Amino acid sequence: MEYGIGRVSGIDMDSLVELFNDAYSDYYVDVQVNPARLRGLIEREDIQVDNSFVAYEGQLPVGVVFLGVRGKRGYICGMGVRTSRQRRGVGELLMRRALSESRRLGLSSVQLEVVAANRRAIALYSKLGFVPVRDLGLWERNTPPPAQASGSVPADHGTRTRRDDVTAPLQTEVRVGAVRMAGVLPLVDAFNEIRPCWQNEAQSLVKMSDRLVGYVSHVDSAATAYVVFGDSAGGLYVADFAAAPRLVSAQRQSMCEILLSAVDRDVPRMSAKAFNIPLQGYQEAVLRARGFDLTLAQQEMVLCLKWR
Ligand SMILES: CC(C)(COP(=O)(O)OP(=O)(O)OC[C@H]1O[C@@H](n2cnc3c(N)ncnc32)[C@H](O)[C@@H]1OP(=O)(O)O)[C@@H](O)C(=O)NCCC(=O)NCCS
């Protein structure tokens, strides 16, 4: 079968939504979209509709790949083939087209996240040279927030508490305060040794800043940790958190627990979610301590197109 390829900018929104929803109809999590949600995704994740592709069987759109671009980095934001047309080479055709476009644009890397159980997608990405770089988790809590992190969090923002009662304590006072997003975003880059996944990095968070709140902890005048979160009818959404890399792991955990405790105190929601937070580090320990369970593991994969 010969397939035609067109650009996402050349397809109407209703057909694109129908194609996307068909391709993701039996997916691991509900990612069904409507036009407004898909437009939001395109805008938030810097999807380039002129550099993203649709495969056609005659007039019928049968597959789509979305390429996001930030500087020299590319991101496969979504890739799917109509269920009735899978296993016929369409996915590979589209991915190869997206990668040749990435090279043409001079990108140095392309990254993506894939559900760890999605063996067919992982097989496709591995075949094309992507390698796993780390594990991320989707986290959920559907129980009342646990008690405050030991050592208690200040009752009011800006007040002080002693933190001399926790493991690996800093033996000093921690202040927690709400901060404008513009004040938090530099910390997202400074506090993460590997930048957060595409949806949680500063370039994404800035686009949601009207819906997100930032809390930052300080010891003396130095920022020690941040959390960015949102509150909606669906519950609490923890978009991202991290602590200063100059602290040891136990201190980073302790600082983030203080912040997430402060969030739970101020926005006490039974239902809470956190997306694509790294596994096997202090961030996982923080979420578990705050009552979250892992609901889905993801793999972050990267393909280097240029070596320095
Ligand atoms: C993953 C997906 C895009 C693959 O597209 P596809 O058109 O079915 O895949 P192709 O026919 O082009 O296969 C290309 C390669 O993918 C892998 N692959 C695809 N389907 C597979 C399957 N059922 N089992 C094992 N490997 C599979 C193989 O490596 C295959 O290469 P091979 O033919 O040399 O073995 C498609 O299954 C899909 O849309 N799934 C639902 C949405 C989704 O999971 N998207 C990915 C999100 S990260």
Side-chain angles (χ1 to χ4, degrees):
M1 170 69 69
E2 280 287 304
Y3 296 100
I5 291 203
R7 294 180 191 268
V8 164
S9 49
I11 187 173
D12 66 275
M13 184 49 86
D14 287 342
S15 304
L16 187 60
V17 164
E18 188 276 327
L19 169 62
F20 185 93
N21 287 340
D22 181 316
Y24 281 92
S25 55
D26 64 347
Y27 201 55
Y28 302 85
V29 282
D30 179 12
V31 291
Q32 299 288 295
V33 293
N34 56 33
R37 189 156 176 220
L38 188 52
R39 273 193 206 97
L41 199 74
I42 288 171
E43 141 69 11
R44 206 169 52 246
E45 302 199 352
D46 290 308
I47 294 174
Q48 308 296 307
V49 290
D50 284 330
N51 310 112
S52 299
F53 301 96
V54 176
Y56 292 89
E57 185 182 306
Q59 299 295 308
L60 179 71
V62 291
V64 62
V65 59
F66 289 118
L67 178 69
V69 177
R70 288 178 180 157
K72 291 285 177 199
R73 294 180 302 128
Y75 176 60
I76 302 298
C77 307
M79 125 113 254
V81 174
R82 199 178 277 286
T83 39
S84 61
R85 302 300 197 279
Q86 290 176 4
R87 215 53 179 115
R88 299 177 188 193
V90 177
E92 184 168 342
L93 180 76
L94 281 168
M95 275 301 290
R96 289 193 186 280
R97 186 71 184 81
L99 294 179
S100 65
E101 184 76 351
S102 301
R103 288 192 180 88
R104 194 184 67 75
L105 292 171
L107 303 185
S108 50
S109 66
V110 178
Q111 64 192 81
L112 55 85
E113 294 108 38
V114 53
V115 172
N118 194 348
R119 305 318 303 178
R120 49 194 180 157
I122 291 177
L124 168 60
Y125 302 142
S126 303
K127 183 177 178 180
L128 297 175
F130 284 82
V131 291
V133 286
R134 63 177 166 170
D135 298 324
L136 304 169
L138 306 192
W139 301 85
E140 224 171 292
R141 183 181 72 204
N142 291 300
T143 51
Q148 300 286 299
S150 66
S152 82
V153 174
D156 299 308
H157 298 155
T159 57
R160 287 169 176 261
T161 190
R162 282 196 68 78
R163 288 290 299 171
D164 52 6
D165 55 345
V166 293
T167 324
L170 291 174
Q171 299 290 346
T172 187
E173 294 172 328
V174 183
R175 273 188 306 125
V176 173
V179 172
R180 282 183 304 117
M181 283 299 287
V184 181
L185 295 177
L187 302 181
V188 179
D189 287 333
F191 284 6
N192 291 285
E193 290 91 337
I194 306 179
R195 73 174 92 212
C197 76
W198 192 273
Q199 303 103 313
N200 295 354
E201 63 183 47
Q203 289 101 315
S204 294
L205 297 180
V206 71
K207 296 183 187 184
M208 298 187 282
S209 49
D210 55 332
R211 279 167 284 155
L212 296 176
V213 180
Y215 280 10
V216 174
S217 61
H218 285 85
V219 168
D220 300 326
S221 58
T224 49
Y226 73 86
V227 59
V228 174
F229 65 94
D231 184 28
S232 72
L236 178 70
Y237 167 54
V238 178
D240 192 39
F241 63 92
R246 67 176 183 280
L247 303 176
V248 300
S249 181
Q251 290 172 330
R252 295 177 97 179
Q253 179 181 339
S254 170
M255 286 295 151
C256 291
E257 273 186 49
I258 291 172
L259 278 179
L260 266 71
S261 280
V263 172
D264 280 331
R265 179 198 61 207
D266 296 348
V267 188
R269 299 281 175 265
M270 211 158 104
S271 172
K273 290 188 165 72
F275 293 129
N276 282 346
I277 304 295
L279 297 179
Q280 293 137 11
Y282 73 95
Q283 288 155 308
E284 168 170 358
V286 171
L287 287 174
R288 291 200 185 279
R290 297 309 306 157
F292 286 77
D293 289 318
L294 179 68
T295 55
L296 199 71
Q298 297 235 93
Q299 247 183 42
E300 190 172 46
M301 302 183 87
V302 175
L303 174 67
C304 283
L305 300 176
K306 275 185 195 162
W307 299 94
R308 272 180 282 179

